[in-house]
């Protein structure tokens, strides 16, 4: 082989590798191109993540699933498709993360916490819920206790340290779900503020609600969306209240592939349209009961303008 031919052979090899890379990487990331060509969308969901996604008589259901159905309808319109076939892929645990990375699912319709660690591996949609630790009380709970927990002080007086806050909070029994972040958070707060209070872990939200209703616990602390769902589904929902306060903030979002900005834009457009729609309050109420002012404000501020 001559030097000239050899050089061209090397150049050809480099171009071939480059071309292969150029074809392979976008094929994994550019979801809209695949959806437009195949008229098919692969949506993952968690069968055991109520109220966000779960199996209902063999079919995916839940708040995040319903939002993804709205996204599918929006994509059909955005891409001008006569039809769009949706394939639901059941996933759980780490399988949700792997499904995005290996292309098993285009979008995971669960509710994963948006953290820097997870963003190293996947991208996220606009937040779909302002999660974090919340508090559930008996609707007949003393006003002073509700003020301390909701506003941080009772009737404009200091909270936690000194009277009357210590009088209000001490010698109370508080509950949280055993083994969750709310349990550690609650124990830490009581230790930090040196409160003479009792912490009684419960195994699930239903048991926690029973303790609040029978008076054996003053407050149930837990993940805000799960508190709202449990209260809405309770037979005695009218006797329960979830405070309009997040003690911690942990937004939840839908997972999709990193680097696929066109698809992310399409998903965020669909969510923004859903949040801005007049019927979104009723849509939200289906899963969590009527939203409070803080939740309504969150979605109004989350929706992006065109």
């Amino acid at each position: 082989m001559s030097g000239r031919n050899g050089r061209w052979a090397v150049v050809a090899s480099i171009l071939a590798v480059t071309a292969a890379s150029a074809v392979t990487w976008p094929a994994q990331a550019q979801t809209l191109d695949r959806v437009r060509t195949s008229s098919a969308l692969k949506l993952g969901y968690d069968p055991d993540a109520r109220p966000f996604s779960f199996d209902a008589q063999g079919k995916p259901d839940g708040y995040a699933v319903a939002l993804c159905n709205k996204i599918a309808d929006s994509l059909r319109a955005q891409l001008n498709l006569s039809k769009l076939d949706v394939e639901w892929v059941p996933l759980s645990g780490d399988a949700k993360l792997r499904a995005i990375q290996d292309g098993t699912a285009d979008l995971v319709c669960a509710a994963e916490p948006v953290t820097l660690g997870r963003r190293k591996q996947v991208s996220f949609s606009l937040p779909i819920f302002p999660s974090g630790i919340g508090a559930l009380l008996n609707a007949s709970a003393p006003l002073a206790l509700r003020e301390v927990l909701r506003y941080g002080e009772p009737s404009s007086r200091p909270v936690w340290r000194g009277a009357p806050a210590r009088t209000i909070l001490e010698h109370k029994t508080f509950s949280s779900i055993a083994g969750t972040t709310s349990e550690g958070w609650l124990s830490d707060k009581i230790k930090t503020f040196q409160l003479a209070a009792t912490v009684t872990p419960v195994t699930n939200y239903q048991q926690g609600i029973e303790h609040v209703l029978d008076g054996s616990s003053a407050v149930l602390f837990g993940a805000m969306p799960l508190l709202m769902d449990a209260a809405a589904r309770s037979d005695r929902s009218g006797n329960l209240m979830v405070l309009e306060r997040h003690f911690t903030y942990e937004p939840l979002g839908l997972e999709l592939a990193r680097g696929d900005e066109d698809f992310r834009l399409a998903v965020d457009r669909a969510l923004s349209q859903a949040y801005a729609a007049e019927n979104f309050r009723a849509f939200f109420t289906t899963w969590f009961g009527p939203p409070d002012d803080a939740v309504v404000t969150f979605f109004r501020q989350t929706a992006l303008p065109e």
Side-chain angles (χ1 to χ4, degrees):
M1 178 182 293
S2 69
R4 180 180 179 183
N5 289 338
R7 286 194 298 272
W8 278 112
V10 171
V11 172
S13 297
I14 294 173
L15 290 174
V17 171
T18 303
S21 300
V23 170
T24 302
W25 184 81
Q28 294 176 342
Q30 305 310 311
T31 304
L32 288 185
D33 292 338
R34 298 201 310 273
V35 172
R36 185 182 288 107
T37 302
S38 65
S39 295
L41 181 67
K42 297 175 291 185
L43 299 178
Y45 77 103
D46 189 335
D48 301 305
R50 188 183 184 100
F52 293 99
S53 68
F54 55 92
D55 272 328
Q57 299 179 340
K59 295 181 179 180
D61 201 352
Y63 171 71
V65 169
L67 280 178
C68 281
N69 280 326
K70 288 183 176 292
I71 291 170
D73 290 340
S74 178
L75 286 176
R76 186 183 299 113
Q78 289 184 51
L79 300 177
N80 196 27
L81 299 174
S82 59
K83 69 169 186 174
L84 180 61
D85 296 323
V86 175
E87 176 187 356
W88 288 98
V89 183
L91 304 165
S92 59
D94 291 339
K96 288 178 284 188
L97 191 78
R98 293 195 300 270
I100 291 297
Q101 295 173 329
D102 65 21
T104 302
D106 299 319
L107 185 69
V108 172
C109 304
E112 301 300 325
V114 182
T115 65
L116 294 176
R118 294 188 76 85
R119 284 178 60 185
K120 292 179 181 178
Q121 300 170 298
V122 295
S123 187
F124 285 92
S125 69
L126 290 175
I128 66 167
F129 198 97
S131 191
I133 294 173
L136 179 146
L137 295 82
N138 194 311
S140 63
L143 176 61
L145 177 61
R146 284 181 277 159
E147 286 182 337
V148 168
L149 293 173
R150 182 176 176 183
Y151 301 113
E153 58 184 26
S155 304
S156 302
R157 288 172 289 184
V159 67
W160 297 114
R161 297 185 185 278
R166 185 169 296 279
T167 302
I168 294 169
L169 294 171
E170 286 197 324
H171 308 298
K172 294 284 193 302
T173 297
F174 302 115
S175 296
S176 59
I177 310 301
T180 64
T181 55
S182 59
E183 182 182 31
W185 175 86
L186 178 58
S187 296
D188 180 66
K189 288 299 180 185
I190 289 177
K191 183 183 299 183
T192 298
F193 295 110
Q194 301 177 358
L195 291 175
T198 301
V199 177
T200 303
V202 293
T203 57
N204 54 53
Y205 285 88
Q206 181 57 43
Q207 184 183 46
I209 284 176
E210 291 172 0
H211 285 195
V212 167
L213 289 172
D214 66 22
S216 58
S217 178
V219 186
L220 171 63
F221 291 95
M224 181 68 83
L226 302 187
L227 287 175
M228 294 174 69
D229 172 65
R233 292 190 294 117
S234 172
D235 292 337
R236 297 179 63 186
S237 59
N239 299 109
L240 300 168
M241 64 180 301
V242 178
L243 293 182
E244 295 183 32
R245 181 183 177 185
H246 287 79
F247 294 89
T248 63
Y249 180 57
E250 188 177 67
L252 307 178
L254 307 175
E255 291 180 329
L256 60 154
R258 294 188 68 191
D260 199 348
E261 291 306 306
D262 287 343
F263 182 52
R264 182 182 177 186
L265 174 62
V267 169
D268 287 348
R269 175 177 287 115
L271 290 175
S272 294
Q273 291 170 346
Y275 298 163
E278 292 183 1
N279 66 349
F280 184 73
R281 182 186 289 267
F283 174 87
F284 184 92
T285 299
T286 301
W287 309 106
F288 303 106
D292 58 39
D293 292 341
V295 171
V296 171
T297 299
F298 168 83
F299 284 108
R300 285 176 178 169
Q301 294 177 344
T302 300
L304 298 175
E306 283 291 343

